[in-house]
Amino acid sequence: MMFSVLGAGVAGLCAATMLAERGARVEVIDPAPDPQGASWYAGGMLAPFCEGESAPLCVVENGRRAVDWWAARVPGVVRRGTLVVAPPRDRAELARFARATRGHAPADPGSLEPDLAGRFAEGLHYADEAHMDPRAALAALRARLAAMGVALRLGTDAEPRGQVIDCRGLAARDALPELRAVRGEMLLVEAPEVTLTRTVRLLHPRFPCYVVPRAGGRFLIGATMVESDDPGPISARATMELLSAAYALHPAFAEARVIEIGAGLRPAYPDNIPRIVERNGRIHLNGLYRHGFLLAPALAGELAATLYQETRHAS
Amino acid sequence: MLYGTALSSRLLLGTAQYPSPAILAEAISAAGAEVITVSLRREGPGGGAFRELIRASGCRILPNTAGCHSVKESVTTAHMARELFGTNWIKLEVIGHADTLQPDVFGLVEAARILAADGFAVFPYTTEDLIAGERLLAAGCEVLMPWGAPIGSGQGLRNREGLRAMRAAFPGVPLVIDAGLGAPSQAAEAMEMGYDAVLLNTAVAKAADPVAMARAFALAVEAGRAAHLAGLMPPRDMARPSTPVFGMAELA
């Protein structure tokens, strides 16, 4: 049996990987030569426990498997955990965050990240979390698929040759009207004066933000959550809020060079939980919301396990 | 009774910051809310999908001008709200201070006058200032919504005496405590003081279990209202035993 995966974002590439690893014949089709959907703007945090602050237990549990999944398949997974801090006047936020999540221990921010010494008296360390560069990870996954013999038909409107696995994100709204967009805005900056070795989340009652280190002294600062399907450029408000949050984390971010600003649209179901849906002969893997890199592996695994079983019964 | 609409629920709910629209819908139902407030300054016309989910709750929608800092912004947002939601109800916020989100009552009165003259039913987010309240009524508002504390702060009723004076000053006017409530006990207290309703968001949305917290607030609002109607005893300095002490048997 042949599978045609539509969409070469994180959902599609993970689905193709899991199917190909089962020995299935797979092709990946995407009209864009270099797909830049929601995955392109992702933070690259593998932070199941922190996400548990507002996400249900299934997100935490499925997300916990993501770090090992990625580390086994792509280079550049940094297992240094997440550090969560709050400005002195928002200490209550730290206590609330600690109550709402698991997998953390109290930590001295300065001893984990010397650049933050003296700036934050207390923090939470989520030691089992990790981060990576999502763009590099997707490129590595593509190369790996190609090496496994998967046809990557990118930049064409190719006709699917097999059973369609639809991973098109928001583009699948034509078939999944219950999908909605949740807009996210981010900045990529270069700040050679700042050294952070792990994801740092700054809690703030109004402007929470995370900073994910990237290679070459770069940092991703993200991300807003706006109930909107406006794909337009980042707003001045979001830019100000994200940059002032980064500045609150470390004043040297004021001297950072802004390399890139971007806005993406996350596909989400009304409960913000991704799922596999079969409709009109198509299998949809969608609704990854803000948890693409965290949950795509588990969802792709579920898909492959189901299909493999069905295929085996059929033969 | 708000602008001629009879409501049986005295708990109005905000719709921001919930873990998901699905949990929001459950919380609305657990709260028994009939009126929900929705922002659109930031979301703009692109927020159609979320607004559809909100509409599906069947509640009456009270759009708000959250995030507006000037008369012009809030009037423009109100017009957009009327078009998008097909309602003339508007929760009017004109923010004066970025840190405390305290209402700019001067801008508020001006915006209220413009909108009321244009046929809007204006629900002004104001302070407990009595003169501001009078001016808002004169501008055409039929309800006043004083803050309990700064938005999202969860501090409860920060100026009890001021709020009590406000209730006494506007006996026939529907008064709604809007913003600052963090705990059901605070909502109950507002209702005991004779406020007609409370409006809240963060305390429910950011609870570990928003649906259970929505239910807790609904119970508190009901209890506070029932207590107000039943007539509360005044606090006293001295103990007054419920059972007479004179004439009791001396057993020692």
Side-chain angles (χ1 to χ4, degrees):
Chain A
M1 179 142 187
M2 168 100 183
F3 295 106
S4 300
V5 175
L6 305 190
V10 68
L13 295 184
C14 286
T17 297
M18 290 308 264
L19 290 169
E21 285 181 9
R22 293 262 187 176
R25 279 172 55 226
V26 183
E27 62 176 356
V28 178
I29 300 172
D30 197 306
D34 192 14
Q36 300 197 343
S39 310
W40 186 250
Y41 298 104
M45 292 181 292
L46 299 173
F49 296 105
C50 285
E51 288 301 309
E53 185 231 346
S54 59
L57 198 60
C58 63
V59 170
V60 180
E61 291 304 323
N62 285 326
R64 286 177 73 170
R65 289 139 59 187
V67 180
D68 286 339
W69 192 93
W70 286 105
R73 289 167 181 82
V74 305
V77 176
V78 183
R79 297 171 182 259
R80 290 185 58 79
T82 301
L83 173 63
V84 178
V85 294
R89 77 169 192 181
D90 299 320
R91 277 181 57 194
E93 293 296 310
L94 205 59
R96 190 188 68 83
F97 200 86
R99 276 199 307 274
T101 55
R102 296 180 293 135
H104 55 75
D108 167 28
S111 60
L112 282 177
E113 297 290 350
D115 268 23
L116 300 181
R119 299 196 49 74
F120 300 95
E122 35 185 347
L124 298 167
H125 187 214
Y126 294 75
D128 293 333
E129 298 189 338
H131 72 270
M132 62 185 179
D133 179 341
R135 295 178 187 178
L138 290 186
L141 216 49
R142 270 156 61 171
R144 192 170 174 275
L145 284 168
M148 290 168 81
V150 171
L152 295 168
R153 305 168 75 193
L154 308 183
T156 68
D157 274 322
E159 271 299 305
R161 289 177 288 212
Q163 163 68 49
V164 170
I165 314 288
D166 191 327
C167 304
R168 293 179 296 144
L170 269 186
R173 264 189 297 188
D174 52 1
L176 302 169
E178 64 271 40
L179 272 186
R180 77 182 197 289
V182 180
R183 177 178 157 93
E185 296 149 295
M186 52 70 90
L187 292 112
L188 189 65
V189 303
E190 194 168 306
E193 289 175 46
V194 185
T195 305
L196 296 174
T197 64
R198 51 173 67 75
T199 300
V200 180
R201 285 192 189 222
L202 178 76
L203 302 183
H204 186 283
R206 277 151 68 194
F207 317 126
C209 91
Y210 55 77
V211 174
V212 189
R214 295 271 167 89
R218 293 185 171 186
F219 298 90
L220 182 123
I221 304 169
T224 56
M225 303 271 287
V226 186
E227 288 286 350
S228 169
D229 64 359
D230 178 353
I234 191 170
S235 71
R237 181 201 292 261
T239 313
M240 283 194 296
E241 288 176 359
L242 289 171
L243 286 179
S244 28
Y247 179 71
L249 188 65
H250 199 300
F253 275 117
E255 307 307 324
R257 301 301 160 123
V258 178
I259 303 297
E260 186 188 325
I261 52 182
L265 298 178
R266 311 171 178 99
Y269 288 112
D271 58 4
N272 292 346
I273 299 171
R275 60 183 66 107
I276 297 164
V277 176
E278 198 170 345
R279 206 167 286 176
N280 300 326
R282 272 188 182 206
I283 299 166
H284 292 269
L285 194 159
N286 215 319
L288 282 145
Y289 183 49
R290 54 181 274 159
H291 300 129
F293 285 79
L294 189 64
L295 295 184
L299 212 58
E302 187 187 324
L303 172 88
T306 315
L307 290 176
Y308 190 70
Q309 219 170 20
E310 284 173 8
T311 312
R312 213 171 36 180
H313 287 171
S315 57
Chain B
M1 185 74 87
L2 298 172
Y3 285 100
T5 301
L7 298 168
S8 56
S9 169
R10 293 173 181 273
L11 175 54
L12 290 71
L13 213 54
T15 56
Q17 304 181 60
Y18 284 80
S20 70
I23 291 176
L24 165 61
E26 273 185 68
I28 290 171
S29 146
E34 289 173 89
V35 177
I36 53 176
T37 177
V38 185
S39 71
L40 44 91
R41 170 88 182 121
R42 191 164 199 173
E43 295 76 8
F50 183 71
R51 286 195 289 274
E52 279 310 311
L53 291 169
I54 294 279
R55 275 202 193 93
S57 71
C59 287
R60 182 174 269 273
I61 308 251
L62 173 60
N64 67 54
T65 64
C68 293
H69 288 251
S70 70
V71 173
K72 191 180 165 195
E73 269 181 298
S74 53
V75 169
T76 308
T77 306
H79 280 274
M80 188 164 93
R82 184 159 68 177
E83 259 177 53
L84 288 173
F85 288 105
T87 174
N88 68 333
W89 281 25
I90 189 75
K91 171 162 131 62
L92 183 62
E93 293 185 26
V94 183
I95 299 302
H97 194 276
D99 204 32
T100 59
L101 301 182
Q102 176 163 351
D104 166 5
V105 292
F106 303 94
L108 185 67
V109 170
E110 195 186 332
R113 188 178 297 120
I114 295 168
L115 291 170
D118 197 9
F120 280 91
V122 180
F123 294 66
Y125 164 60
T126 183
T127 67
E128 66 275 25
D129 188 286
L130 299 182
I131 310 305
E134 286 178 5
R135 295 290 161 90
L136 286 166
L137 295 179
C141 298
E142 293 179 19
V143 52
L144 297 175
M145 304 213 293
W147 64 348
I151 295 172
S153 69
Q155 294 177 18
L157 308 177
R158 239 174 27 163
N159 180 2
R160 287 184 175 74
E161 292 318 308
L163 290 168
R164 233 183 277 283
M166 188 168 194
R167 179 65 283 181
F170 301 105
V173 178
L175 295 183
V176 181
I177 293 288
D178 176 11
L181 298 183
S185 54
Q186 298 159 355
E189 190 182 359
M191 299 305 293
E192 287 167 4
M193 282 165 62
Y195 275 81
D196 295 280
V198 300
L199 192 162
L200 53 101
N201 187 348
T202 311
V204 169
K206 290 302 222 181
D209 183 344
V211 179
M213 189 60 83
R215 197 170 295 121
F217 268 100
L219 293 169
V221 166
E222 200 184 324
R225 177 67 184 173
H228 173 71
L229 293 177
L232 289 137
M233 67 167 281
R236 299 186 181 108
D237 288 340
M238 285 181 61
R240 191 187 145 188
S242 326
T243 311
V245 280
F246 295 110
M248 281 177 74
E250 290 192 27
L251 301 174

